[in-house]
Amino acid sequence: MPVDTEKEIKKLMTKFEALQNINRATWYEWRQAAIECARPEFSPQDLVLKAWEVVGHDTAKAYFGMLDVSKPTFLEDIAKAIVMSSTMMGETAKVVKSENENANEVFIQWDRCPWPEFARRYGAPMEEDVLGCDKWFQTVIEDINQLFNTKVKLETEKAIPRGDGVCLRRLSMEPTESQKKQMDAKQVIGDIDQD
């Protein structure tokens, strides 16, 4: 009997989407249990941010093998890794190149994210949702900076849970010492050529 590959792929995608929803629901179920069991000095937000910090350290470890600081695409490669993680969780995300060619920056834009809906469903504040994502990504960036001796910076410019139509985060990086030397050398060569 021949296999209907299209039908089988649809079944797998349906199961995958269900698993993504189970994952999000489990997160908020964990949150509720942790809040109920926490000592009074811990706020729900403190618990959530600590959990996202742990997730961030684990995520950074997964990214390390994908990154090479010597490549000129290092910053964009970080953005691509974040997009990969986000799309695997059911979000619609993409890398957006900077319009400023001289800026060492790249943007990540999320057009759709199911996490705020789950936050609403489980009574979590929208700001906690934004701060949780920020903590996750900031922890990833801190670990990358520590491992690669870089100065990557991540800034949240827009957030769906804050009522913006998209989430938009800017990744930028100060040049490394070797990049500074290359820029200085190009400047010297440019000065010589002008003489």
Side-chain angles (χ1 to χ4, degrees), residues 72-121:
T73 58
F74 180 71
L75 197 58
E76 189 173 344
D77 292 342
I78 296 170
K80 287 178 182 177
I82 292 172
V83 165
M84 178 192 66
S85 294
S86 296
T87 56
M88 286 193 305
M89 291 191 298
E91 302 158 25
T92 303
K94 62 186 174 190
V95 176
V96 178
K97 295 193 183 221
S98 176
E99 293 178 7
N100 181 351
E101 292 180 19
N102 296 324
N104 196 11
E105 66 183 6
V106 65
F107 296 86
I108 306 163
Q109 181 175 312
W110 288 259
D111 296 316
R112 183 184 156 281
C113 180
W115 284 90
E117 175 54 35
F118 277 79
R120 247 188 303 283
R121 190 180 300 177

Side-chain angles (χ1 to χ4, degrees), residues 27-53 119 122-133 135:
W27 172 268
Y28 286 102
E29 292 159 352
W30 163 87
R31 177 187 179 276
Q32 180 181 341
I35 290 167
E36 289 174 11
C37 295
R39 293 186 305 241
E41 66 268 20
F42 290 107
S43 72
Q45 185 170 298
D46 290 340
L47 290 167
V48 168
L49 294 181
K50 183 62 180 174
W52 278 116
E53 179 183 340
Y122 286 90
M126 288 296 106
E127 188 61 16
E128 181 184 286
D129 186 56
V130 175
L131 296 175
C133 283
K135 186 64 172 178

Side-chain angles (χ1 to χ4, degrees), residues 3 8 11 31-32 47-48 59 61 68 87 97 105 115 134 142 165 167 180 182-183 186 195:
V3 175
E8 291 302 312
K11 280 185 192 177
R31 177 187 179 276
Q32 180 181 341
L47 290 167
V48 168
T59 304
K61 290 175 191 169
D68 182 347
T87 56
K97 295 193 183 221
E105 66 183 6
W115 284 90
D134 285 347
E142 288 168 13
C167 287
K180 287 179 187 176
Q182 287 175 347
M183 289 187 295
K186 286 180 183 178
D195 290 339

Side-chain angles (χ1 to χ4, degrees), residues 106-172:
V106 65
F107 296 86
I108 306 163
Q109 181 175 312
W110 288 259
D111 296 316
R112 183 184 156 281
C113 180
W115 284 90
E117 175 54 35
F118 277 79
R120 247 188 303 283
R121 190 180 300 177
Y122 286 90
M126 288 296 106
E127 188 61 16
E128 181 184 286
D129 186 56
V130 175
L131 296 175
C133 283
D134 285 347
K135 186 64 172 178
W136 176 33
F137 294 129
Q138 292 295 349
T139 302
V140 168
I141 297 304
E142 288 168 13
D143 288 1
I144 287 171
N145 283 335
Q146 186 174 4
L147 180 69
F148 293 101
N149 195 28
T150 53
K151 293 181 181 174
V152 176
K153 185 176 170 186
L154 182 133
E155 301 166 277
T156 298
E157 296 190 351
K158 295 180 181 182
I160 293 169
R162 289 183 177 149
D164 298 320
V166 299
C167 287
L168 185 67
R169 290 183 172 87
R170 177 182 177 263
L171 272 177
S172 59

